[in-house]
Amino acid sequence: MSAETHANGGHSAALDVNDLGVSYYTSSGEIKAADGVSFSIMPGKRMGLVGESGSGKTTTALALMRLIKPPGRITKGSAVIDGIDLLSLSEEEMRTAKLSQIALVPQGAMNSLNPVAKVKNQIIDGLRDHDAQHSASQYRELVTELLDKVGLNRQVGDMYPHELSGGMKQRVTIAIAISMGPKVIIADEPTSALDVVVQRQIMETLAELQDELAAAILLIGHDIGLMAQFVDTLGVMYAGRLVETGTLRQLLSEPKHPYTQMLIDSLPSLERKDRKRGDLRGIPGTAPSLYALPSGCPFHPRCPQAMDICPSEEPLLKVVNDDHVANQGEQQAACLLY
Amino acid sequence: MSSLIELKNTSKIFGTGWFSRKTVALRDFSISVNEDEPAITALVGESGSGKTTIARLILGIIPPTTGEVLYRGKAVAQLSRAERRQFRRDVQVIFQDPFEVYNPFYKVDHALHLPVRKAGLASSRDEAVEIIETTLRQVGLNPRDTLGRYPHQLSGGQRQRVMVARALLLNPKLIVADEPVSMVDASLRATILENLRLLNTEFGISIIYITHDLTTAYEISEKIVVLYRGVVAEQGDVVPVVEEPEHPYTQLLIGSIPMPDPDQKWQQGLEVVSPTTDGADDTMNAEYTGCQFADRCPHAMDICQVAAPLYQTAPNRVVSCHLYRETAVV
């Protein structure tokens, strides 16, 4: 996808990930949790990353934040923001890059806030770590301003996390994430524990703030419905690889990879286009164990369109655009059908 | 009409101690599961809506604070030993988390053999194995890949289907499925929901499907109960309720569902009123008697200081909202 960056001429991507690999080294051998993941996001754009549990989407997010813990290790690749490769920074340099270059809105806000610290102190912690110049009253002002941006009133600053509802806690994590005006925000299933009404309000807040910062967002999740409401481009992960990328519209209306096709077909929906209520279609089989990946294309044992060649040859991402949607941008799929 | 399980005007209030604040988890709720017409009924609501409280009342895990829980017309608390055994067979449950229901030190076989033995379904071990294998095949599992394994060796979807098989083993009349697919991947969700529907159509088992996900409820159920902070907002046949919601809460809920379609964005112009009191503490207080949704409702009126009764807006449909006060009360 770095080709796309160059094709765009003067504009360069906010985040350019190239050939990212993350492996866990266990007694049973090396487990490739993410392998050869490449994508880029332009400033002000939103990309979604979907996949089942174990597909490597959260691993990818953690790798970008340099939060992979032993026995895991980033084995290869680069992730470039503003000409700086995050993956080759020293620990200390990465600490500075966090919040100011790249920030994470974590999954399950209830577990990511410190239960024994007031909200304001948790927000100030991040600010002070980067820039200790301000006076206490300036910090107080900053906190009020940040809380206001995420739609919380200033009293929330003096509260502890347990006094907040799930939606409010998630808003606090967003306030922390945007506190240093990052260029890239990674949101890892930020609303998976919230009900749909709150989910919508939070995603709308996040979208407004992103506009203001002109930041790029990488939204990790499994809810394609939420993706359809929020992102511009979409990547589908399976068994640690990116198997299809493209614009949202391309992937939803003309998915090329059989896995994407089945994933979209399996969605329960209130929409009745070509199927009647209750016509549910699952994907047969189960996601492969990363300990023993099938040879060739990892999806071939579950694929209805598998061919003789699939178990022996590993497909790489290649452009699969149909001509009439070519102007929408590049669509790529890793499937031997193409 | 013989009802298998009936909840009659049940309420559940937690925290009835001297110093703790009373929280009403469920207010004046009635439902009847009819043995003759097995149906799938969805209970839909966000967390704190009382849906799991209803499940626990039906299963007899907790007693109601007021009202009655009846099994074949008799209060669950007063069942004789034999009746209670039959109750425990007739009413089965599938829990949300297929990771926590297993004892990790036993093979999954244990979870299947135990009910067979306790209910005396088989006279010999071979017969028990045969019953178990047949049941596993009925939910689409291959016994060879399932039996003899430890829970951690199975995928989440397989574990959940073993639980469906366990429930099915006892030949129940009613299965309470509490968020059975919320911890399962999208690709498997459809398969498990298909299993549930099969239990209903093939085996004539009634199902109470508890979920926060309106889309799956719409896909598999016939009837739906939309709950909000312990009260029924709207109840009726699933198609009219979802396609033409009447209660403002149902409207808000349905308008907020993210559709997997870029052309159908979140309903614009839908007024989202933030609750004045975030967190449900105040309205769930036992002293509050107004409409639970009033603080978030774009149509809130003075009359909403008093909770609305259930108005019958159509033959099979009730709505608890003063907007429909022209229609008859149930």
Side-chain angles (χ1 to χ4, degrees):
Chain A
M1 289 273 283
S2 55
E4 192 187 88
T5 324
H6 303 144
N8 271 307
H11 305 281
S12 60
L15 173 67
D16 195 352
V17 178
N18 209 346
D19 196 29
L20 174 69
V22 177
S23 289
Y24 286 86
Y25 295 90
T26 70
S27 51
S28 353
E30 179 186 359
I31 295 162
K32 292 182 174 172
D35 192 11
V37 176
S38 301
F39 60 86
S40 63
I41 318 175
M42 302 303 288
K45 293 289 182 190
R46 308 174 197 150
M47 176 173 172
L49 212 49
V50 291
E52 299 172 61
S53 43
S55 64
K57 52 191 197 311
T58 296
T59 300
T60 303
L62 293 180
L64 295 179
M65 292 300 297
R66 293 275 300 273
L67 290 171
I68 300 285
K69 296 268 183 312
R73 208 170 71 214
I74 297 169
T75 51
K76 58 177 179 180
S78 62
V80 178
I81 296 179
D82 238 1
I84 302 162
D85 178 12
L86 297 179
L87 304 188
S88 58
L89 293 181
S90 69
E91 290 278 320
E92 194 50 41
E93 287 166 333
M94 187 62 205
R95 234 163 65 98
T96 324
K98 281 179 193 168
L99 288 190
S100 62
Q101 299 285 338
I102 188 165
L104 177 73
V105 178
Q107 181 176 14
M110 39 296 284
N111 300 329
S112 53
L113 294 173
N114 182 348
V116 295
K118 284 182 181 171
V119 166
K120 63 176 180 195
N121 294 334
Q122 304 196 40
I123 297 175
I124 292 172
D125 265 353
L127 295 170
R128 188 171 285 154
D129 192 46
H130 283 80
D131 175 14
Q133 311 303 319
H134 297 299
S135 67
S137 66
Q138 279 170 314
Y139 279 128
R140 244 195 328 273
E141 236 163 77
L142 275 169
V143 167
T144 311
E145 196 180 308
L146 282 166
L147 287 174
D148 185 53
K149 278 187 180 168
V150 296
L152 294 171
N153 66 34
R154 61 166 66 213
Q155 281 87 349
V156 173
D158 288 312
M159 294 166 97
Y160 289 92
H162 76 266
E163 297 177 272
L164 309 177
S165 71
M168 292 165 89
K169 273 184 261 191
Q170 197 57 270
R171 283 174 191 276
V172 172
T173 63
I174 293 174
I176 294 172
I178 62 158
S179 59
M180 297 292 296
K183 300 191 177 69
V184 177
I185 300 170
I186 299 176
D188 186 7
E189 310 218 26
T191 56
S192 59
L194 306 171
D195 71 271
V196 288
V197 180
V198 180
Q199 164 173 289
R200 174 187 167 165
Q201 290 169 324
I202 298 230
M203 295 314 286
E204 283 171 351
T205 304
L206 193 55
E208 278 165 32
L209 293 169
Q210 178 211 7
D211 271 350
E212 211 179 297
L213 295 171
I217 289 191
L218 178 65
L219 176 65
I220 312 278
H222 60 261
D223 182 353
I224 293 181
L226 182 61
M227 295 292 170
Q229 301 297 323
F230 194 74
V231 302
D232 305 298
T233 57
L234 200 55
V236 178
M237 291 197 75
Y238 188 79
R241 296 138 212 241
L242 208 50
V243 296
E244 184 160 5
T245 65
T247 64
L248 176 74
R249 210 166 279 276
Q250 285 167 339
L251 261 71
L252 289 186
S253 57
E254 288 182 57
K256 299 292 185 192
H257 197 288
Y259 176 67
T260 317
Q261 290 167 358
M262 295 174 84
L263 197 64
I264 287 168
D265 252 5
S266 75
L267 295 175
S269 172
L270 303 180
E271 286 272 274
R272 303 268 73 82
K273 270 190 190 140
D274 51 345
R275 38 179 221 139
K276 58 182 209 306
R277 184 172 75 89
D279 179 10
L280 294 164
R281 300 170 200 170
I283 301 179
T286 53
S289 152
L290 292 173
Y291 283 100
L293 272 187
S295 61
C297 170
F299 188 57
H300 83 262
R302 300 169 80 186
C303 182
Q305 300 179 60
M307 303 173 291
D308 292 343
I309 182 177
C310 294
S312 52
E313 197 176 318
E314 192 175 324
L316 297 171
L317 274 179
K318 62 197 259 191
V319 179
V320 291
N321 277 59
D322 280 347
D323 291 339
H324 66 280
V325 287
N327 57 350
Q328 286 185 15
E330 214 169 48
Q331 182 175 6
Q332 302 187 25
C335 176
L336 297 171
L337 285 172
Y338 306 100
Chain B
M1 277 237 299
S2 65
S3 62
L4 178 74
I5 292 279
E6 192 175 3
L7 261 56
K8 258 187 175 169
N9 305 100
T10 48
S11 295
K12 184 71 195 174
I13 302 170
F14 289 107
T16 45
W18 271 26
F19 300 106
S20 58
R21 195 155 54 152
K22 289 179 187 176
T23 301
V24 183
L26 189 67
R27 274 176 209 256
D28 199 20
F29 179 79
S30 299
I31 194 171
S32 168
V33 177
N34 197 330
E35 202 175 337
D36 309 327
E37 313 157 25
I40 303 184
T41 306
L43 301 183
V44 181
E46 57 193 69
S47 47
S49 63
K51 51 194 197 305
T52 298
T53 302
I54 295 173
R56 293 165 72 192
L57 285 171
I58 291 174
L59 293 165
I61 298 172
I62 51 169
T65 309
T66 60
E68 288 179 295
V69 181
L70 305 175
Y71 167 70
R72 295 185 195 280
K74 199 169 173 188
V76 167
Q78 281 149 28
L79 295 177
S80 69
R81 188 178 280 246
E83 285 168 328
R84 179 167 295 271
R85 187 171 297 147
Q86 191 59 41
F87 168 69
R88 293 255 177 268
R89 283 187 61 172
D90 280 352
V91 182
Q92 288 299 314
V93 63
I94 299 167
F95 287 109
Q96 173 174 12
D97 189 344
F99 297 83
E100 283 193 352
V101 291
Y102 292 94
N103 184 331
F105 295 106
Y106 287 111
K107 291 176 180 167
V108 294
D109 307 37
H110 178 77
L112 295 165
H113 277 287
L114 197 68
V116 171
R117 203 165 62 233
K118 291 280 180 200
L121 295 178
S123 50
S124 67
R125 188 161 170 93
D126 287 350
E127 201 184 326
V129 171
E130 201 183 310
I131 294 172
I132 288 168
E133 290 190 351
T134 315
T135 317
L136 286 173
R137 281 196 199 93
Q138 281 166 342
V139 298
L141 287 172
N142 183 346
R144 272 209 326 214
D145 298 343
T146 319
L147 295 176
R149 301 206 178 197
Y150 287 95
H152 71 266
Q153 294 173 306
L154 301 180
S155 73
Q158 283 173 315
R159 263 179 283 206
Q160 194 59 300
R161 275 194 278 175
V162 170
M163 276 298 114
V164 176
R166 187 205 57 79
L168 182 60
L169 265 178
L170 295 163
N171 196 16
K173 302 280 192 305
L174 169 68
I175 291 179
V176 178
D178 188 0
E179 302 258 18
V181 292
S182 67
M183 312 256 311
V184 173
D185 276 319
S187 64
L188 275 161
R189 200 179 298 159
T191 317
I192 289 171
L193 291 173
E194 195 54 52
N195 276 169
L196 282 182
R197 199 172 39 199
L198 213 70
L199 296 182
N200 175 247
T201 52
E202 301 281 305
F203 301 96
I205 300 169
S206 292
I207 292 176
I208 296 212
Y209 174 57
I210 295 175
T211 183
H212 64 270
D213 180 2
L214 237 147
T215 47
T216 58
Y218 177 71
E219 294 274 11
I220 71 159
S221 62
E222 285 122 58
K223 294 187 244 169
I224 188 167
V225 183
V226 181
L227 293 154
Y228 185 73
R229 294 187 190 165
V231 293
V232 173
E234 187 162 359
Q235 181 172 355
D237 293 334
V238 74
V239 175
V241 170
V242 172
E243 291 179 0
E244 286 153 28
E246 290 179 339
H247 195 286
Y249 174 63
T250 325
Q251 290 168 357
L252 175 65
L253 201 59
I254 290 170
S256 302
I257 293 172
M259 301 286 179
D261 178 356
D263 293 321
Q264 205 183 337
K265 290 289 178 192
W266 267 318
Q267 207 177 312
Q268 293 301 312
L270 182 79
E271 220 176 323
V272 181
V273 180
S274 292
T276 45
T277 54
D278 208 297
D281 295 289
D282 290 353
T283 55
M284 286 175 88
N285 197 322
E287 278 95 62
Y288 180 80
T289 50
C291 170
Q292 296 291 329
F293 189 61
D295 60 340
R296 294 170 76 187
C297 183
H299 307 285
M301 303 170 282
D302 289 343
I303 190 177
C304 300
Q305 296 298 315
V306 179
L310 290 172
Y311 292 107
Q312 185 110 39
T313 55
N316 273 326
R317 187 166 191 186
V318 294
V319 180
S320 153
C321 176
H322 289 298
L323 289 175
Y324 303 91
R325 59 187 179 279
E326 308 292 306
T327 50
V329 173
V330 176

